[in-house]
């Protein structure tokens, strides 16, 4: 029935539930599990989970497990057995690296290796897509459908969800309007919204670039601290303004402003990474300690917006070869890489050097 949520809409509900501290139920038809995010789990709910039949495990990514010297037997994740007196504080200490240097010994951590881990993997993907710490408490359920109905919890078809989470949610244009800008009075802002009601993305069009020629373009991921506050820890603000200025000078261009804060981990996790950098870790090491990859962004979004706007080729303003590769892979021809080397300060020099050495940026 069309009034019922489809799988993408159900996953949006599940993300919201995890962010609020509610559990969600995953089922593949034969196996089921209750999943709760460690970051938002209350001591009362933890007590209720521990009182249920069975023994929950803590699922963390392999990146976080490696930091903690735990065995990621499942390849990309580790399932950690809870100690007999597990508390919400213990779970948080394993999930959040904030106090790793102060209290490095979390264990001994015993990794579970028996049985399938696909529901745990799906739970971690959901947590990542909800922009919270990728650490989830997972309890096997003999009757997932009945348990979800009895407790009014969101029930997710795990097989369908695994496929959808690997896909880019379709985008649709919402509205566009003329916005005179300091770099060009001929500015226009286009708003695109994903089908699942997630965060919108924007295209700032300068002038009237022809659709049958390569357009000067930039994929710019949102950076609250750099773009709005003028942070000196990154080069995002200067890159944003530099790209718009170059488009204004040429009289045409498209800047795609993608809501993928902190390389796709969200502002809260970016601030966690900043705190870890203050402890001496570089930007990549900080992401790994949090349980994330170097870069969690999805540049397919940019390619889709360009195609929706009628562009097939670009002159890409970037220092990041990964953006070029992703554009080409998703049907956008990159005829030229246009360097954008601006914004280096004494505060971000090490950060930029790390991006060049570990992430391949051409600086």
């Amino acid at each position: 029935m069309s009034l019922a949520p489809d799988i993408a809409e159900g996953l949006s509900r599940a993300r919201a539930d995890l962010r609020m501290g509610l559990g969600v139920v995953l089922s593949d038809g034969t196996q089921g599990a209750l999943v709760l995010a460690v970051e938002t789990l209350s001591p009362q709910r933890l007590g209720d989970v521990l009182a249920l039949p069975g023994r929950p495990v803590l699922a963390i990514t392999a990146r976080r497990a490696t930091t903690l010297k735990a065995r990621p037997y499942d390849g990309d994740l580790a399932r950690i057995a809870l100690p007999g007196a597990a508390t919400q504080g213990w779970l948080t200490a394993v999930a959040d690296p904030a106090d790793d240097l102060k209290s490095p010994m979390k264990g001994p951590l015993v990794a579970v290796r028996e049985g399938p881990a696909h529901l745990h993997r799906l739970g971690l993907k959901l947590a990542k897509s909800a922009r919270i710490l990728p650490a989830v408490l997972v309890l096997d359920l003999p009757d997932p459908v009945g348990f979800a109905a009895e407790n009014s919890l969101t029930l997710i078809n795990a097989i369908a969800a695994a496929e959808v989470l690997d896909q880019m949610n379709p985008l649709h244009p919402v509205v566009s309007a003329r916005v005179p800008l300091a770099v060009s009075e001929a500015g226009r802002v286009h708003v695109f919204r994903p089908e699942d009601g997630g965060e919108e993305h924007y295209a700032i069009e300068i002038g009237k670039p022809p659709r049958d020629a390569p357009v000067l373009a930039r994929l710019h991921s949102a950076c609250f601290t750099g773009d709005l506050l003028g942070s000196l820890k990154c080069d995002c603000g200067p890159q944003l303004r530099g790209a718009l200025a170059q488009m204004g000078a040429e009289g045409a261009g498209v800047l795609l402003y993608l809501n993928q804060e902190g390389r796709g981990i969200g502002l809260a996790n970016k601030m966690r990474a900043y705190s870890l950098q203050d402890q001496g870790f570089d930007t990549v090491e900080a992401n790994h300690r949090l349980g994330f990859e170097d870069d969690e962004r999805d540049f397919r979004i940019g390619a889709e917006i360009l195609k929706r706007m009628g562009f097939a080729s670009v002159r890409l303003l970037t220092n990041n070869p990964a953006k070029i590769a992703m554009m080409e892979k998703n049907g956008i021809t990159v005829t030229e890489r246009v360097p954008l080397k601006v914004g280096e300060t004494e505060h971000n020099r090490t950060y930029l050097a790390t991006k060049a050495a570990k992430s391949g940026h051409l600086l």
Side-chain angles (χ1 to χ4, degrees):
M1 185 176 182
S2 64
L3 295 178
D6 63 20
I7 184 61
E9 293 160 340
L11 286 170
S12 290
R13 285 188 179 181
R15 292 185 189 98
D17 289 349
L18 290 177
R19 289 177 64 88
M20 288 188 295
L22 287 170
V24 299
V25 176
L26 309 179
S27 175
D28 65 3
T30 58
Q31 296 176 311
L34 171 67
V35 174
L36 301 104
V38 170
E39 179 177 338
T40 55
L41 178 63
S42 69
Q44 180 181 354
R45 280 210 169 98
L46 173 60
D48 291 341
V49 172
L50 294 177
L52 292 170
R55 192 65 183 171
V57 298
L58 173 61
I60 56 177
T61 67
R63 291 293 191 189
R64 182 65 182 144
T66 300
T67 294
L68 297 171
K69 304 296 189 291
R71 296 293 186 94
Y73 289 121
D74 300 305
D76 56 347
L77 65 96
R79 292 172 287 158
I80 306 299
L82 270 60
T87 64
Q88 200 266 347
W90 181 86
L91 290 170
T92 298
V94 175
D96 190 340
D99 293 327
D100 277 0
L101 296 186
K102 187 186 302 182
S103 304
M105 299 302 293
K106 312 291 185 186
L109 299 178
V110 179
V112 177
R113 58 197 309 178
E114 296 81 17
H118 61 294
L119 298 182
H120 307 72
R121 181 173 293 107
L122 182 59
L124 288 171
K125 282 188 176 182
L126 263 177
K128 278 189 176 185
S129 67
R131 305 292 187 262
I132 52 180
L133 284 171
V136 292
L137 191 66
V138 182
L139 175 68
D140 291 339
L141 297 173
D143 179 17
V145 176
F147 186 89
E150 182 182 349
N151 294 279
S152 301
L153 297 178
T154 299
L155 176 66
I156 296 294
N157 180 317
I159 297 174
E163 182 178 346
V164 168
L165 284 173
D166 286 334
Q167 298 173 348
M168 192 201 77
N169 204 265
L171 292 166
H172 299 287
V174 178
V175 67
S176 71
R178 187 178 67 86
V179 181
L181 303 174
V183 298
S184 172
E185 293 187 5
R188 177 169 288 273
V189 174
H190 304 256
V191 178
F192 292 83
R193 181 180 298 153
E195 280 187 1
D196 66 357
E199 290 183 301
E200 294 162 351
H201 305 281
Y202 318 120
I204 297 89
E205 185 175 11
I206 302 297
K208 295 183 178 179
R211 269 47 179 177
D212 59 353
V215 62
L216 182 64
R218 170 160 175 79
L219 277 66
H220 188 90
S221 298
C223 178
F224 172 76
T225 52
D227 298 343
L228 273 68
L229 303 183
S231 168
L232 302 177
K233 281 183 68 71
C234 64
D235 56 344
C236 301
Q239 284 190 325
L240 172 64
R241 288 177 280 278
L244 286 173
Q246 188 163 339
M247 292 173 188
E250 294 195 12
V254 176
L255 186 139
L256 306 178
Y257 197 87
L258 310 179
N259 274 310
Q260 301 190 115
E261 180 78 46
R263 279 183 275 172
I265 66 176
L267 182 59
N269 287 319
K270 185 172 87 169
M271 292 299 98
R272 289 185 172 110
Y274 276 11
S275 293
L276 292 174
Q277 289 170 39
D278 288 340
Q279 296 179 28
F281 301 103
D282 68 35
T283 181
V284 172
E285 292 167 343
N287 269 30
H288 291 177
R289 293 188 80 87
L290 286 165
F292 294 102
E293 296 302 316
D294 304 19
D295 195 335
E296 297 275 356
R297 290 175 292 182
D298 186 353
F299 293 124
R300 295 176 298 180
I301 297 169
E304 179 65 18
I305 291 176
L306 286 168
K307 286 188 279 190
R308 294 302 295 260
M309 293 180 69
F311 296 105
S313 61
V314 297
R315 296 165 51 225
L316 196 61
L317 274 159
T318 186
N319 303 322
N320 185 358
K323 289 183 180 180
I324 298 173
M326 186 57 74
M327 288 293 97
E328 296 278 1
K329 184 178 179 180
N330 286 277
I332 299 294
T333 300
V334 180
T335 62
E336 178 187 0
R337 183 185 77 85
V338 182
L340 189 59
K341 298 180 181 180
V342 293
E344 181 175 333
T345 71
E346 61 177 304
H347 298 277
N348 66 26
R349 196 161 289 124
T350 300
Y351 163 76
L352 295 177
T354 300
K355 287 208 298 184
K358 293 189 175 182
S359 301
H361 286 228
L362 304 173
L363 300 174

